[in-house]
Amino acid sequence: MNLQNKIINVLGDSITQGVGVSAPIHIYENVLGRLVGAREVRNYGISGTRFARQIGGDDCGGAFVDRFEGMADDADLVLVFGGTNDYGHGNVPFGTWGDRTPETFIGACHYLFDGLVRKYPAARIVIMTPLQRAGGSKPCANTGKSLSDYVDAIIRVAAEYSLPVLDLYRTAGICPDIPAQREMFMPDGLHPCDAGAARMAERIAGFLTTL
């Protein structure tokens, strides 16, 4: 995929917003934009947000399912990067494969991906799974699922909409449970630092060349 002079919309959470890096130029999508020669990269990241609409309305500024419609319509590429907060501090059920409600995680994946395909029928839409995070193998306090269970759900639902998925959980090359990698790429165990964001951007750019 040639992104020279193209417009990229990025829907995400705190990592997309820029938490963890030293300056906006180091946010992964801004690094990506320079790597691919994009004309504009639009940051739709809000810290703490999740795919699913939360019980009690604790949505930290808007769940993904409620924010995607507000993104500009003229993007050539839409990147979606989230799910770690659904695992880390979501309060809704994991859901079943038949769910289509935005009040479960699986249902929210369906709701979001279906909505994006309808909103951007001609654009390329790419889903990116959560990165590994420190302690991510532990079960979610709310659902009992591991982070990899959330990752696998994203991949499975995206396949139903023929959306390409970059599995950053398994291929980003960032494993914060290994102390040396945590120190180098993700000091707080969750948010990539400048070096981690650069590694992410390189991986994303490489994946996009295959589309």
Side-chain angles (χ1 to χ4, degrees), residues 112-146:
L112 176 64
F113 299 164
D114 178 79
L116 286 169
V117 171
R118 294 175 189 275
K119 180 176 173 65
Y120 298 101
R124 299 305 297 265
I125 302 166
V126 174
I127 311 302
M128 304 188 299
T129 71
L131 295 163
Q132 292 189 23
R133 57 186 282 171
S137 61
K138 296 177 182 177
C140 169
N142 179 55
T143 65
K145 302 289 187 179
S146 67

Side-chain angles (χ1 to χ4, degrees), residues 2-6 8 31-40:
N2 183 358
L3 290 167
Q4 190 75 33
N5 295 318
K6 301 296 186 181
I8 305 173
V31 179
L32 173 67
R34 295 192 295 274
L35 288 174
V36 301
R39 172 157 56 96
E40 184 178 2

Side-chain angles (χ1 to χ4, degrees), residues 48 91 93 97-98 101 110 115 134 138 157 165 168-169 171 182 200 209-210:
N91 67 8
W97 297 112
T101 170
H110 277 287
K138 296 177 182 177
V157 175
V165 178
L168 290 172
Y169 182 87
T171 68
R182 176 168 177 161
M200 275 184 69
T209 65
T210 69

Side-chain angles (χ1 to χ4, degrees), residues 9-125:
N9 285 355
V10 189
L11 178 62
D13 50 37
S14 57
I15 298 174
T16 298
Q17 186 178 12
V19 175
V21 299
S22 62
I25 62 168
H26 297 298
I27 302 173
Y28 76 89
E29 68 267 24
N30 291 337
V31 179
L32 173 67
R34 295 192 295 274
L35 288 174
V36 301
R39 172 157 56 96
E40 184 178 2
V41 179
R42 298 169 179 152
N43 185 331
Y44 293 97
I46 298 179
S47 184
T49 55
R50 293 149 289 210
F51 275 31
R53 192 178 294 153
Q54 301 296 292
I55 297 170
D58 179 22
D59 287 318
C60 301
F64 285 29
V65 295
D66 295 319
R67 286 168 37 221
F68 76 90
E69 287 283 9
M71 296 193 298
D73 294 330
D74 59 346
D76 300 291
L77 170 67
V78 178
L79 298 176
V80 179
F81 179 48
T84 194
N85 290 328
D86 293 85
Y87 159 78
H89 59 93
N91 67 8
V92 302
F94 190 74
T96 65
W97 297 112
D99 283 354
R100 297 296 184 272
T101 170
E103 284 84 13
T104 73
F105 180 70
I106 291 175
C109 289
H110 277 287
Y111 188 97
L112 176 64
F113 299 164
D114 178 79
L116 286 169
V117 171
R118 294 175 189 275
K119 180 176 173 65
Y120 298 101
R124 299 305 297 265
I125 302 166

